[in-house]
Amino acid sequence: MKKFKLLIPMMVFVMGIGMAFTTKNNPDTGLWVERNGVPYQLKSDPCMSNKNIHCYVVFADDPNAVEYPVYTDQNFSIPKEGGSTLPYLIME
């Protein structure tokens, strides 16, 4: 019984460490735009409205102020909803 009492805290510790590695970020999730023909993943979600309007973004470093549609997948097949009448400004 003494060994069992010592074994339980060690098992809890090992399981805690193991559980810490189970919540890895999935690189396939997130929001994507096609910038110069290359998939670009956004670092944050700018599309926060509750409207059923497609989301568009403009990058601050783009001198032409091109509006890019935002997608929920890297294949650009599912457009992201939650946009507004004006595109969101991205400072990435």
Side-chain angles (χ1 to χ4, degrees):
M1 188 70 172
K2 229 177 188 186
K3 290 182 182 180
F4 186 67
K5 286 183 179 179
L6 179 65
L7 189 61
I8 289 177
M10 289 180 9
M11 287 177 54
V12 169
F13 181 72
V14 170
M15 287 179 64
I17 291 175
M19 296 287 277
F21 293 104
T22 61
T23 57
K24 295 187 330 186
N25 290 335
N26 188 352
D28 295 333
T29 61
L31 300 176
W32 297 85
V33 296
E34 185 176 5
R35 195 170 185 196
N36 300 325
V38 178
Y40 180 81
Q41 187 174 14
L42 297 177
K43 296 177 183 167
S44 62
D45 184 4
C47 313
M48 299 303 249
S49 75
N50 294 329
K51 300 177 183 175
N52 290 332
I53 302 173
H54 295 303
C55 182
Y56 289 89
V57 295
V58 172
F59 289 93
D61 62 350
D62 187 6
N64 298 327
V66 177
E67 294 182 9
Y68 296 98
V70 179
Y71 297 94
T72 58
D73 63 334
Q74 193 172 359
N75 297 327
F76 309 119
S77 61
I78 305 170
K80 170 75 172 147
E81 305 259 327
S84 69
T85 55
L86 296 173
Y88 296 100
L89 183 65
I90 303 291
M91 304 295 259
E92 295 180 4

